[in-house]
Amino acid sequence: MALRPVQVNIKALDASAVGRFWAEALGWSAYSPGVTTYVGPGGGLVWPDPVAVCVDVVPVPGPKTATKNRVHLDLATTSAAHQAEVVAHVKALGATPAHVGQGEVPWTVLADPEGNEFCVLEPREIYRDTGPIARVVVDCADPRAMARFWGEAMDWALHEVTDAHAVLRSVKGVGPYLEFLRTPDVKTVPDRVHLDLLPYPGDDKAAEVARLRALGATDLDLGQGDVPWTCLADPEGHEFCVLASH
């Protein structure tokens, strides 16, 4: 039994507008299957996508209040010229420069129209085959502990673990990486961006949730009420949801 990350959940005041931004930024399509705006590869809505970790933008009544999100996306580029093109493109879509203490770095830190940070990376060979999202980055205090929890929670393979970061990727060697990056930041408000996980067909969602609790996950009440998904937090308090197959 194991779970797979299927989407990055982003809360937004204007889910349609933020969804359109991410669709244009990633070169994907925006779909509106319900109250959320789902962003995934073009050609028609496929859920879950067999390769990509997609984006689901969910409407909420309040704006971002954290100084910096604890989860963000890094976008891949193939050359210095491509990086410059992507930066210019997303700025034209409404992205703005963001300052999170990065100093002089070869990547560009930006924020989407509602202030959610993301990076446009300089070209790196490791991200040549990831698609537009190179990696999902999660700030944490203890990458080794996060590697233990998430390595057991998901069916992804652990590529590297140090005191500074831990890196996982699908065992199929496709799609983006998931990186837990050591930072001094601490959680002060509910996460604006989080991962949604999905059981495989035939696996029992309740059994998966029980397994996660045994690994150290805790139940999370965000006022979600009676919903088909289960809200949890990992051992460092990062929120995530286990979705129901449908």
Side-chain angles (χ1 to χ4, degrees), residues 2 15 18 28-29 35 37 60 77 101 119 137 143 160 162 168 176 184 195 198 200 202 211 217 220 228 235-236:
V18 173
W28 287 353
S29 296
V35 297
T37 299
V60 293
T77 64
C119 298
V137 181
E160 182 181 1
T162 69
L168 300 94
L195 281 171
L198 183 71
Y200 281 91
R211 187 177 65 85
L220 188 65
E236 285 199 13

Side-chain angles (χ1 to χ4, degrees), residues 1-208:
M1 297 198 314
L3 295 159
R4 50 191 160 148
V6 293
Q7 59 198 30
V8 175
N9 183 298
I10 300 177
K11 298 179 177 67
L13 281 169
D14 189 337
S16 294
V18 173
R20 288 193 300 272
F21 168 86
W22 281 106
E24 291 287 342
L26 299 172
W28 287 353
S29 296
Y31 306 93
S32 297
V35 297
T36 72
T37 299
Y38 180 76
V39 178
L45 175 59
V46 175
W47 192 92
D49 190 273
V51 173
V53 175
C54 298
V55 173
D56 195 38
V57 187
V58 178
V60 293
K64 177 188 174 189
T65 57
T67 303
K68 174 178 174 287
N69 287 335
R70 296 197 303 162
V71 180
H72 73 266
L73 300 180
D74 282 351
L75 308 191
T77 64
T78 57
S79 66
H82 185 218
Q83 182 185 16
E85 289 170 8
V86 172
V87 169
H89 177 59
V90 295
K91 284 183 175 177
L93 295 172
T96 53
H99 302 283
V100 293
Q102 67 267 25
E104 290 293 328
V105 291
W107 56 89
T108 302
V109 183
L110 300 163
D112 75 10
E114 291 200 7
N116 300 299
E117 300 87 2
F118 67 98
C119 298
V120 180
L121 300 180
E122 76 284 5
R124 303 183 193 182
E125 189 62 33
I126 191 174
Y127 301 132
R128 287 277 177 178
D129 62 350
T130 60
I133 299 176
R135 61 189 181 188
V136 181
V137 181
V138 182
D139 293 347
C140 70
D142 187 344
R144 293 187 185 276
M146 290 293 95
R148 288 192 294 272
F149 174 83
W150 286 92
E152 290 288 338
M154 306 190 311
D155 67 339
W156 281 23
L158 183 63
H159 279 245
E160 182 181 1
V161 59
T162 69
D163 290 340
H165 71 171
V167 180
L168 300 94
R169 195 187 191 194
S170 167
V171 292
K172 299 176 182 177
V174 297
Y177 290 79
L178 174 62
E179 179 174 12
F180 293 92
L181 183 66
R182 185 174 185 174
T183 69
D185 302 330
V186 296
K187 180 175 181 175
T188 56
V189 296
D191 292 332
R192 197 75 176 173
V193 182
H194 70 255
L195 281 171
D196 285 341
L197 310 182
L198 183 71
Y200 281 91
D203 285 350
D204 181 76
K205 173 178 170 286
E208 285 294 320

